[in-house]
Amino acid sequence: MIRIVLPTDFSKNAWHAIKYATFLFEQSPCTFSIIHAHQVSPSGLISAMSKEHDTRLHEITIKESERILNKIVKHLNRINKVQGHKFEGVMVADSLLNAIGREVIDKDADYIVMGTQGASGLSEIFLGSNTVSVIKNINFCPIIAVPDSYNFSAFNEILFAANFKHLYQRVELQPLLDLAKLRKARINVIHINVEEELDEEQLQLKKLLHNLLGDKNIVFEEFDYHPNIALKINDVTEKKNAGLIAMLNSKHSFFKGLTREPVVKKVAFKSKIPFLVLPEVE
């Protein structure tokens, strides 16, 4: 039984991510926890009257959120015909980040699947503020970020961007291997050359990665140097018939630059396919 956490703010983007999750895991029994977080009403208001008004408004908002969440869960349980799929709604009075983290730990979740756009909704931003916050702070669960424009369909390849500067561990790669097996997809390890040739340590780490991934349905590809790794990865992604691109969120990866503030201000990484972030195990 795979356990998936699906954050929702009831937006079209969040609904798209929910639909994608049911598609991605259509071959496996799953429990989908659809979680909605709401902040507790602020205290210390100007007057008792305004505080009472704020409390009433807060209660109305919570009840409406509960109604919408229950409606979504009932709808999914009614229309989803995949045997072994179960949907549950979770309302949490906390920040989104705390709510997701607690749900992942309490349910021993295998993946978080969420939309990419944050509150800004700007088209040039791939990773919205909420997604960036989750990736930066929840480093104990794989996260799949789903672009709102992605039209999902069957795929036979998963890209794994690597720079051969990390001592890979099997547990870090297992979520990637599990997805490849589930979708019967090939893993294509792509490396963008940022040096004339790999040094001895990189060669050893590449060999280790190859051993951990195995020989079955695995390929390695090298690509010419490009000064902007993000742009090059985008270019490679668009030329492949891949359904997912994965990266390890390690201290050596260029990915760290994607989550620095201000959010994605100068970064050109705008993947058109879902983006799997694998947590580093230290």
Side-chain angles (χ1 to χ4, degrees), residues 30-159:
C30 291
T31 296
F32 298 94
S33 295
I34 303 173
I35 183 168
H36 178 74
H38 59 91
Q39 291 281 56
V40 177
S41 179
S43 59
L45 298 175
I46 297 174
S47 67
M49 184 176 294
S50 62
K51 185 173 182 179
E52 183 179 348
H53 175 268
D54 182 78
T55 300
R56 287 201 307 271
L57 183 62
H58 185 64
E59 289 174 350
I60 292 170
T61 302
I62 291 175
K63 287 182 179 179
E64 178 62 10
S65 296
E66 288 176 339
R67 185 190 69 80
I68 297 173
L69 183 60
N70 290 334
K71 183 178 179 181
I72 290 173
V73 171
K74 288 180 180 178
H75 178 67
L76 286 166
N77 280 317
R78 184 175 67 254
I79 67 169
N80 190 287
K81 305 302 181 183
V82 179
Q83 187 174 4
H85 276 195
K86 176 186 175 184
F87 300 89
E88 59 183 25
V90 181
M91 282 279 294
V92 181
D94 206 337
S95 68
L96 177 66
L97 188 61
N98 288 343
I100 294 174
R102 188 178 299 113
E103 187 69 11
V104 167
I105 293 171
D106 289 348
K107 300 294 175 63
D108 193 21
D110 298 289
Y111 299 91
I112 299 166
V113 181
M114 62 190 300
T116 56
Q117 290 296 342
S120 63
L122 298 176
S123 60
E124 65 269 22
I125 293 178
F126 167 61
L127 295 176
S129 55
N130 284 335
T131 314
V132 168
S133 180
V134 173
I135 291 172
K136 286 173 66 175
N137 294 283
I138 299 182
N139 57 358
F140 45 86
C141 182
I143 299 163
I144 301 175
V146 186
D148 55 1
S149 59
Y150 178 62
N151 296 316
F152 42 88
S153 59
F155 61 89
N156 56 17
E157 186 169 57
I158 297 174
L159 302 180

Side-chain angles (χ1 to χ4, degrees), residues 212-227:
L212 289 172
L213 291 175
D215 294 319
K216 186 178 180 182
N217 227 12
I218 308 291
V219 294
F220 281 70
E221 274 193 272
E222 297 282 340
F223 293 90
D224 293 337
Y225 168 79
H226 194 284

Side-chain angles (χ1 to χ4, degrees), residues 9-42:
D9 58 359
F10 308 134
S11 65
K12 183 184 295 186
N13 186 237
W15 175 245
H16 185 68
I18 291 172
K19 290 196 297 181
Y20 171 77
T22 61
F23 158 77
L24 185 64
F25 296 99
E26 64 185 352
Q27 302 296 328
S28 178
C30 291
T31 296
F32 298 94
S33 295
I34 303 173
I35 183 168
H36 178 74
H38 59 91
Q39 291 281 56
V40 177
S41 179

